Amino acid sequence: MSKRFYLTTAIAYPNGKPHMGHAYEAIASDAIARFKRLDGFDVRFLTGTDEHGLKIAQAARDAGIDPRAYVDGTSQPFIDLDRQLGISFDRFIRTTDDDHKALCQQLWQRMAANGDLYLGRYEGWYSVRDEAYYEEAELVAAVDAAGNPVKLSPQGTPVEWTVEESWFFRLSAYADRLLALYAEHPEFIQPTSRFNEMRAFVAGGLSDLSMSRTSFDWGVPVPGSPGHVMYVWVDALANYLTGAGGLDGEWWPADLHIIGKDVTRFHTIYWPAFLMSAGIALPKTVFGHGFVLNRGVKMSKSDGNVVDPAAMAARFGVDRLRWFLLREVAFGEDGSYSDEAIIERTNADLANGIGNLAQRALSMVAKNLGGAMPAPGPSHGAAALAESLTALTEAYFAAMNALQLHRALEAVMLMVNAANGYFAENAPWSLAKTDTQAMANVLHATLDATRRIVLLVQPFVPDSAGRLLDQLGVAADARQFSDFDAVVATGTQLPAPAGVFPRWSEAA
RNA sequence: GGCAGCGUAGCUCAGUUGGUGAGAGCGCCGGAUUCAUAACCCGGAGGUCGGCAGUUCAAAUCUGCCCGCUGCUACCA
């Protein structure tokens, strides 16, 4: 059986700078990608930017430059952020890439060939100045110069009832098939709360979907229909196919789409319907993660609490930020972050926990054994420790495979507690004076427990874990999960220990 | 308004199909220790399990009502 795994993030809309939400999604997805690679899978990891649509066109016009030049500039910070955060993507797709535009048109033709696209009319309240349609409920009542009541857009611009030619997708014909999909594959939408919402939405009936626009031209042209560009979501969702290698790409179907909970509908209703229409296999799972809020409050420029993730990563270090977001926030739920919370969490887990565990054992090996890795041997409580580590490792894998990233790290921290407890109970610093062999046995068991722990945290703090494994004498080619039982050879010369996870103190 | 969910120790939350005296982490207090990044280890405090009323031999766990909070309720993404 081929162990392959294709996962994607949602693609970011680069009409502004990346915020913490982008960093969070990228980091979580990256941890999963790295986990799968360590677990022996061939992984394809796709991320990118969604560069078409009205808002981009407007922003480019406001900036007085060509849309393509505009997105060339605004997509770069997203790429830079990914690189800074160590996101191990295989491709950073941009929807303005030529191969993607070609694929969109192929997808469109497949849906058309299946009879699911038809030309109709889209009607609504349209603001010429905003180049946008608004819902009746969004309109604001006002009074014109002559004292007559009028309706205005949320931006205060005039709106008029407008009829526009548009291609439509027969989404209404897919409700039953979608409900059957949900019933057969409840894992298709996660977490459960999102699953229930989407199922209820579909059960309430579906209307056909407007699939093209004629009011602006910054998009993928509809084949054979001059003046029409595709609705941005057709273009956006199709990126996953492009990234898989095409309509019949070698990586398709995707195993996992990681998305923000706000775009669940597009990914779990429209997307599978499009694919069914085109006769293409469906992704296995769509996971809608929650939002991370600054001190529990949504970020807004007016509140002055917008946080730049690049600055945050630069300040605390990439691995501290990664660890905090994935350990502190229940994956799937909303979370809150603050400087204090990041410092407290990472000091407790990384400095006092993993880092200190490694340091206390390594320093004893350096001082008492000349830095040579001791041989395994019996010690009090070693069996219980091993049993505990095995059970918790199983819990880690179960949690990871269920996308419960925070649970996986919880299991890791219990392993750290077990190892620290074993170490304290045996007090090797006392054995150093009475029974050097017994001391060496305890140090071996502790270092091996640490090795196992650090192997497991590689997906979360890849850089730090790598440096820690160096210190533990673990060969670069012995860091896969399949190497879990490959103990470091007796006598291996360990480098002089140096703290990998320094404690953060505000004064310093 | 409709549908769904939530409200458990200061904080963040676990609590299977109702049943030994209600839990974890962080924070706090005390003890022990000195290998280690003033870290680690052990122990403790503490909460009317949102409120009221029911069902039951027995409810945080079921039912009803009330209070508070959140999500979804289609074409900006």
Side-chain angles (χ1 to χ4, degrees):
Chain A
M1 117 186 187
S2 62
K3 291 181 67 173
R4 293 158 58 92
F5 198 84
Y6 175 37
L7 84 160
T8 70
T9 69
I11 48 178
Y13 203 66
N15 63 341
K17 289 182 180 175
H19 54 66
M20 194 59 85
H22 297 117
Y24 177 57
E25 182 168 309
I27 288 169
S29 303
D30 182 65
I32 295 166
R34 288 176 185 270
F35 169 80
K36 285 293 177 181
R37 289 195 197 98
L38 290 165
D39 204 21
F41 286 76
D42 278 332
V43 170
R44 172 78 171 173
F45 177 20
L46 180 75
T47 190
T49 42
D50 175 18
E51 305 186 352
H52 289 128
L54 175 66
K55 289 196 174 180
I56 294 286
Q58 289 175 330
R61 188 187 57 199
D62 291 347
I65 57 177
D66 176 76
R68 175 65 202 221
Y70 176 80
V71 293
D72 283 347
T74 58
S75 64
Q76 193 58 45
F78 289 83
I79 298 172
D80 293 342
L81 178 65
D82 277 2
R83 296 214 183 282
Q84 180 188 1
L85 296 174
I87 307 305
S88 59
F89 58 81
D90 294 297
R91 174 173 174 179
F92 190 100
I93 191 170
R94 299 179 54 191
T95 54
T96 49
D97 289 342
D98 287 340
D99 64 338
H100 175 68
K101 287 187 281 192
L103 177 129
C104 288
Q105 296 185 328
Q106 291 167 26
L107 178 65
W108 182 281
Q109 284 165 332
R110 288 267 277 264
M111 291 190 280
N114 198 41
D116 285 325
L117 297 176
Y118 63 90
L119 201 53
R121 292 185 310 175
Y122 185 78
E123 304 180 31
W125 291 101
Y126 185 74
S127 162
V128 175
R129 204 180 302 171
D130 296 345
E131 291 186 18
Y133 282 91
Y134 294 101
E135 290 295 292
E136 181 83 41
E138 291 182 284
L139 300 181
V140 179
V143 181
D144 67 13
N148 298 314
V150 294
K151 290 177 176 177
L152 300 177
S153 78
Q155 278 70 42
T157 58
V159 295
E160 55 189 271
W161 187 256
T162 305
V163 179
E164 179 185 357
E165 183 183 62
S166 173
W167 287 94
F168 280 82
F169 174 73
R170 291 189 200 283
L171 183 65
S172 58
Y174 284 87
D176 289 345
R177 270 174 279 185
L178 289 169
L179 290 173
L181 165 68
Y182 304 155
E184 216 172 312
H185 294 287
E187 77 284 0
F188 179 68
I189 307 174
Q190 295 184 46
T192 308
S193 53
R194 301 268 99 78
F195 175 89
N196 292 336
E197 287 172 3
M198 293 305 112
R199 186 177 54 184
F201 183 91
V202 175
L206 296 173
S207 304
D208 288 349
L209 189 65
S210 171
M211 292 281 273
S212 71
R213 297 294 136 87
T214 57
S215 52
F216 61 95
D217 64 2
W218 182 237
V220 179
V222 172
S225 190
H228 286 258
V229 295
M230 294 182 198
Y231 173 44
V232 284
W233 269 105
V234 179
D235 171 6
L237 291 163
N239 95 83
Y240 304 130
L241 284 173
T242 305
L247 277 191
D248 303 297
E250 58 167 328
W251 286 94
W252 197 257
D255 293 280
L256 179 62
H257 290 319
I258 296 288
I259 62 167
K261 64 181 183 180
D262 54 328
V263 292
T264 308
R265 194 176 65 232
F266 302 95
H267 285 80
T268 61
I269 297 175
Y270 300 172
W271 183 225
F274 294 167
L275 292 168
M276 287 175 184
S277 173
I280 297 172
L282 306 182
K284 305 297 186 199
T285 292
V286 176
F287 188 99
H289 68 249
F291 298 143
V292 286
L293 311 175
N294 184 10
R295 294 182 180 282
V297 180
K298 274 195 178 174
M299 294 195 298
S300 72
K301 289 172 185 170
S302 58
D303 290 344
N305 67 346
V306 175
V307 173
D308 174 10
M312 191 75 106
R315 178 176 176 210
F316 290 111
V318 168
D319 282 351
R320 262 205 200 79
L321 182 61
R322 289 175 61 113
W323 179 272
F324 172 80
L325 290 172
L326 299 179
R327 156 84 159 133
E328 182 90 357
V329 181
F331 196 50
E333 305 289 316
D334 288 350
S336 174
Y337 64 88
S338 64
D339 288 0
E340 294 75 19
I342 292 171
I343 292 167
E344 202 172 283
R345 181 91 260 168
T346 56
N347 273 351
D349 291 349
L350 299 179
N352 301 349
I354 298 171
N356 186 51
L357 173 66
Q359 188 70 9
R360 66 196 309 198
L362 285 171
S363 85
M364 283 201 71
V365 170
K367 289 176 184 172
N368 297 285
L369 299 173
M373 181 69 187
S379 64
H380 181 65
L385 173 63
E387 196 176 322
S388 175
L389 294 180
T390 298
L392 290 166
T393 299
E394 284 174 13
Y396 167 93
F397 278 96
M400 288 303 291
N401 287 315
L403 302 176
Q404 298 274 294
L405 308 188
H406 59 297
R407 294 273 186 215
L409 290 183
E410 192 175 20
V412 167
M413 289 314 299
L414 290 174
M415 293 173 76
V416 175
N417 292 344
N420 266 321
Y422 164 84
F423 193 84
E425 191 184 351
N426 282 286
W429 56 90
S430 295
L431 293 174
K433 300 165 189 164
T434 59
D435 186 345
T436 310
Q437 183 58 56
M439 173 204 73
N441 293 346
V442 171
L443 293 180
H444 172 87
T446 303
L447 288 178
D448 196 58
T450 307
R451 179 184 65 84
R452 291 165 187 272
I453 287 162
V454 178
L455 286 178
L456 297 183
V457 300
Q458 289 180 99
F460 299 88
V461 287
D463 181 61
S464 307
R467 286 187 286 132
L468 210 35
L469 289 171
D470 290 344
Q471 297 214 8
L472 292 167
V474 180
D477 63 357
R479 299 179 179 186
Q480 294 284 111
F481 293 145
S482 57
D483 299 310
F484 213 62
D485 292 322
V487 299
V488 175
T490 301
T492 299
Q493 189 62 38
L494 306 181
V500 168
F501 293 120
R503 184 179 174 79
W504 181 282
S505 67
E506 209 56 87

